[in-house]
Amino acid sequence: MILNSWFQIKLFILFSIFIPLLTGCWDRTEIEERAVVLGISVDEAVDKQDESEVTHLKSSFPKPPRSMIEVTAQIAVPGRIPLGPGESSGTGKNKPVWVLSAKGYTIDDALMVLQQQLGERMFFGHLRIIVISEKIARSGVQNLNDYLRRSPEVRRLAWMVVSKGAAADLMKAAPQLERVPSLYLLAMMDNAIRMGKLPNDFLGIFWSADSSRGKEPFLPYIEIKKEGNLEISGLAYFRGDKMVGATKPLEIGLFMAVTGVQTGGYNVYEYLPNSFDTIMFKATSRKSRTKVSIKNGRPHISLNMRVEGDIEEKSNELFKINEYKTILQIQDDISKGSEKGIKELIEKMQSAGSDIFGFGEYVRAKEPEYWNREIKTEKKWQEEFKNLTVDVKMDIRIRRIGMKAT
């Protein structure tokens, strides 16, 4: 009897411990009860008089604290998202997403106004794309970054991009190659990385660079073309939290060569030696090595890059390029052209005080005594970067010249 009583006591204690853990999904939220946000855009409000009284009364602010912004959200419609390749995305009133806009003085203010118009709570766990207009980017994204970083639902693997025109146009675009519009831009970014057209720059990477003392952040710069298709028109580079300019599309490849992004994907149009005929050289792989030294009391950067690639096309099929001397001359011409382009890109970044290459992080890591004595802060490096001396050495290697031995 004593043993049975002791066994019953232990069993009671065991059940007492585990019963609270078997409460089930008491705080569950059904998917139909959520407004799943796939993408948002942020623009400067055109009509600044359309002020909502959801978060404040108009009379409570004699003077508006700041200019208004307009947030456009792309919300998934339950039951209309196509699940297979043969299903239609819907047309007219049966579109898979619902696009809504709201205005406010801050991002949180505008989202609260938008939430007032919805019957379900907005859910940002599937947010994949954040588009900001160039005007917003140039005025500063500190408030936007602060709000998104504090939100536990926003993934660090989401993408933030800068739109050349109105950011809301990207939320309303309907590309023909994707049934869910917001996912087209996401697929575009991911595929550009795989093809060597764009460096990896998820939202988390952007925030990391924004927090660094020796590196400035950048974002993809997107433009809508005439047919509604999208183009990666360059990289929007920042100084602090404000955009100060954008590169050209080809300069993305030069930037990736400097930073050592291995996958190559950009083509270079080059003249043949002693001829007006041309070839198309495609980079297939890259390697980069950055060295830091102190010269005359200032930091100095030495860049050594090696790019391998193929000759994909030539304008004159009669011109033979299988001779070793001809190949060496082509390699040398492309190397010199690349070195010139990289130097011009670095000078452009120096004039803007935007070190998107992360040279400051190299100085801070390799020369900590100099950094702690002379630099210390991000603002100091922004000024020092303008006077940074950089040596550029490019080594182009042609691996294939085509299927014909001509």
Side-chain angles (χ1 to χ4, degrees), residues 152-373:
E153 295 180 351
V154 177
R155 301 182 184 182
R156 270 51 182 170
L157 293 180
W159 278 92
M160 182 184 286
V161 301
V162 177
S163 172
K164 187 175 182 179
D169 292 343
L170 271 72
M171 293 291 102
K172 301 173 184 177
Q176 299 299 314
L177 296 179
E178 178 58 56
R179 294 166 295 170
V180 181
S182 62
L183 300 184
Y184 177 79
L185 187 55
L186 173 67
M188 185 178 182
M189 299 295 104
D190 292 339
N191 291 332
I193 293 175
R194 284 193 288 269
M195 293 187 295
K197 296 286 187 181
L198 188 70
N200 196 352
D201 191 34
F202 293 127
L203 192 57
I205 298 176
F206 173 77
W207 288 339
S208 177
D210 186 43
S211 301
S212 300
R213 286 181 285 174
K215 186 178 182 180
E216 299 295 336
F218 62 89
L219 290 173
Y221 189 57
I222 307 298
E223 180 181 2
I224 299 181
K225 309 305 284 187
K226 293 182 179 179
E227 300 298 327
N229 55 317
L230 308 178
E231 179 186 81
I232 302 176
S233 297
L235 296 177
Y237 50 92
F238 288 69
R239 180 174 179 176
D241 69 314
K242 295 183 179 180
M243 175 183 169
V244 290
T247 70
K248 299 175 182 178
L250 185 59
E251 291 177 329
I252 300 177
L254 300 178
F255 169 78
M256 295 170 71
V258 173
T259 55
V261 178
Q262 185 175 4
T263 305
Y266 275 87
N267 293 34
V268 178
Y269 198 63
E270 184 66 39
Y271 281 104
L272 287 165
N274 304 317
S275 171
F276 290 104
D277 297 319
T278 59
I279 61 167
M280 188 70 75
F281 171 81
K282 180 180 180 179
T284 56
S285 64
R286 309 182 187 93
K287 289 183 179 179
S288 177
R289 187 175 182 182
T290 303
K291 292 184 177 180
V292 180
S293 59
I294 303 297
K295 290 187 176 181
N296 300 322
R298 289 183 176 275
H300 175 79
I301 300 293
S302 296
L303 292 174
N304 289 279
M305 294 157 289
R306 179 171 177 171
V307 176
E308 297 183 356
D310 308 327
I311 294 179
E312 288 199 330
E313 183 186 41
K314 56 183 179 179
S315 61
N316 185 358
E317 288 295 328
L318 299 178
F319 192 96
K320 297 182 179 181
I321 58 175
N322 59 339
E323 296 182 1
Y324 185 64
K325 291 183 179 180
T326 304
I327 294 176
L328 289 180
Q329 184 62 49
I330 295 173
Q331 291 181 164
D332 186 59
D333 291 343
I334 299 176
S335 297
K336 291 180 179 178
S338 299
E339 289 175 359
K340 180 181 178 182
I342 289 173
K343 289 178 181 178
E344 291 176 351
L345 178 61
I346 293 175
E347 290 174 358
K348 181 192 294 186
M349 296 301 107
Q350 287 181 312
S351 63
S354 178
D355 181 12
I356 61 175
F357 309 101
F359 292 149
E361 291 298 294
Y362 280 97
V363 175
R364 193 160 71 97
K366 300 297 182 179
E367 299 291 341
E369 293 183 2
Y370 175 84
W371 179 276
N372 294 330
R373 184 180 66 252

Side-chain angles (χ1 to χ4, degrees), residues 35-41 71-77 96-101 114 122-124 126-129 168-175 179-185:
V36 179
V37 180
L38 301 178
I40 61 173
S41 66
V71 175
T72 303
Q74 199 173 88
I75 302 172
V77 180
V97 293
W98 189 21
V99 180
L100 294 174
S101 299
L114 187 61
M122 287 190 294
F123 177 66
F124 295 95
H126 294 291
L127 178 66
R128 304 307 302 274
I129 291 294
D169 292 343
L170 271 72
M171 293 291 102
K172 301 173 184 177
R179 294 166 295 170
V180 181
S182 62
L183 300 184
Y184 177 79
L185 187 55

Side-chain angles (χ1 to χ4, degrees), residues 21-93:
L21 303 178
L22 303 176
T23 55
C25 301
W26 63 272
D27 61 343
R28 76 187 188 281
T29 302
E30 300 293 342
I31 190 171
E32 292 84 1
E33 299 174 359
R34 283 177 171 175
V36 179
V37 180
L38 301 178
I40 61 173
S41 66
V42 184
D43 288 288
E44 189 178 65
V46 177
D47 184 8
K48 300 181 181 180
Q49 302 300 323
D50 188 12
E51 183 178 355
S52 176
E53 294 184 297
V54 173
T55 62
H56 63 277
L57 299 177
K58 294 181 181 180
S59 59
S60 61
F61 293 106
K63 293 183 178 179
R66 61 183 70 189
S67 59
M68 297 185 73
I69 62 174
E70 183 173 9
V71 175
T72 303
Q74 199 173 88
I75 302 172
V77 180
R80 295 183 188 172
I81 299 294
L83 301 177
E87 298 184 35
S88 173
S89 62
T91 57
K93 296 182 179 180

